[in-house]
Amino acid sequence: MTVDVQARPVPYGDTMLPYRVIDRTVQTSDTVTLRLAPTRAAAQRFRAGQFMMLYSFGVGEIAISISGDPTADDGVLEHTIRAVGAVSAALHDTDVGGLIGVRGPFGTGWDLASAAGGDLVIVGGGVGLAPLRPAVLAALAARADYRRIVLISGARTPADMLFRHDQELWSAAGAIELQRTVDHPAADWRGRVGFVSEPLAHLTVEPGRTTALLCGPEPMLRLCAQALLRRGIPASDIQVSLERNMKCGVGRCGHCQLGTLLLCRDGPIVDYATAGPLLAVREL
């Protein structure tokens, strides 16, 4: 998740701690994954789906979803950042050894426990795969708890696909069923072409035994949720990550309000029974 806001001189809310960039992996032409290690104290444990407030010193602070492994206990955070504005570009460009301020974790997480004993369907579009990666890693760490794990991953082009190496490893190990699709194929692309809602609409699902996790642009969320609803999946079994303009991270400023929800506090993970009626209201 990458949402730029106006820079402000001092973050507020929970204490900001300095973290050092210990690794920088280029994902696409405008997206990198940074591994951050605490310089003063061990990081708090986080749940898959939560986010941190990341501060680029002298530039500003934004909300970024955690894309690392929630089962790890080494205190290292991973954040996948797309350069779309001044703050995200500054964070994106931070080199190994550089310092970044961190507050959090904040927000709700993916409810993986509700999928135990059944099938888990995970659908990510574009950079929306970043907040879902911790859910995949957590589910793989408890693989016996689920029948099927299906990952549908979409991007504009093959070059824009995040975590390509991870996806190939997960699929090759037989731990997940992987379906990848792109909007615009390259000459050597042998996968699907189209939106992520298309393979989802043809997926064999069992209502009452299927939990879906969706993250991506809001039009994608609506299309995918409608495809699942038509297949008999209850709205309460569909979880979506709503990534609106988060500024403070602690429910004070109101920038992320959606109806009665403050998404930094009541989200970003919300079931579609709650989210669906709100997303249907124009201009809300």
Side-chain angles (χ1 to χ4, degrees), residues 113-198:
S114 66
D119 297 337
L120 185 60
V121 176
I122 301 171
V123 186
V127 77
L129 188 59
L132 288 165
R133 182 173 179 258
V136 175
L137 294 172
L140 292 177
R143 184 63 186 85
D145 291 349
Y146 310 96
R147 298 191 309 178
R148 301 169 66 200
I149 300 177
V150 180
L151 174 61
I152 300 175
S153 172
R156 288 174 298 176
T157 71
D160 293 313
M161 188 76 67
L162 298 184
F163 311 115
R164 283 170 287 181
H165 181 62
D166 283 352
Q167 292 186 52
E168 290 162 4
L169 287 178
W170 298 334
S171 178
I176 66 169
E177 301 173 30
L178 175 64
Q179 298 191 37
R180 296 193 288 188
T181 185
V182 298
D183 299 341
H184 307 288
D188 59 349
W189 177 251
R190 298 294 180 265
R192 289 177 175 267
V193 177
F195 298 124
V196 289
S197 56
E198 296 175 17

Side-chain angles (χ1 to χ4, degrees), residues 203-272:
L203 187 69
T204 300
V205 295
E206 183 178 343
R209 299 291 301 275
T210 301
T211 299
L213 314 181
L214 313 178
C215 187
E218 287 184 12
M220 185 217 93
L221 297 182
R222 288 193 292 268
L223 284 172
C224 290
Q226 290 300 321
L228 289 163
L229 292 170
R230 286 193 294 269
R231 307 296 296 282
I233 305 299
S236 58
D237 290 340
I238 303 170
Q239 302 172 35
V240 297
S241 181
L242 300 179
E243 301 169 357
R244 297 249 177 162
N245 297 323
M246 296 185 190
K247 183 174 182 180
C248 70
V250 291
R252 294 179 183 173
C253 70
H255 276 69
C256 63
Q257 184 174 6
L258 178 64
T260 60
L261 302 179
L262 290 174
L263 293 176
C264 68
R265 181 194 67 195
D266 306 316
I269 312 303
V270 181
D271 67 59
Y272 203 71

Side-chain angles (χ1 to χ4, degrees), residues 21 29 71 76 85 94 138 144 152 154 176 182 232 246 284:
V21 178
S29 62
T71 68
V76 173
T94 304
I152 300 175
I176 66 169
V182 298
M246 296 185 190
L284 182 60

Side-chain angles (χ1 to χ4, degrees), residues 25-110:
T25 301
V26 175
Q27 297 282 347
T28 71
S29 62
D30 60 1
T31 305
V32 300
T33 296
L34 301 181
R35 285 173 54 82
L36 310 177
T39 62
R40 296 180 184 174
Q44 297 185 51
R45 296 297 295 269
F46 63 90
R47 300 191 305 275
Q50 288 189 298
F51 67 95
M52 294 284 192
M53 300 298 297
L54 300 188
Y55 187 73
S56 177
F57 294 98
V59 183
E61 184 186 49
I62 54 175
I64 301 287
S65 293
I66 305 167
S67 60
D69 188 350
T71 68
D73 58 3
D74 58 4
V76 173
L77 297 172
E78 291 187 43
H79 291 276
T80 300
I81 303 167
R82 175 169 288 169
V84 295
V87 184
S88 59
L91 292 168
H92 171 282
D93 292 343
T94 304
D95 289 327
V96 172
L99 291 176
I100 289 174
V102 175
R103 291 193 296 128
F106 298 117
T108 55
W110 301 108

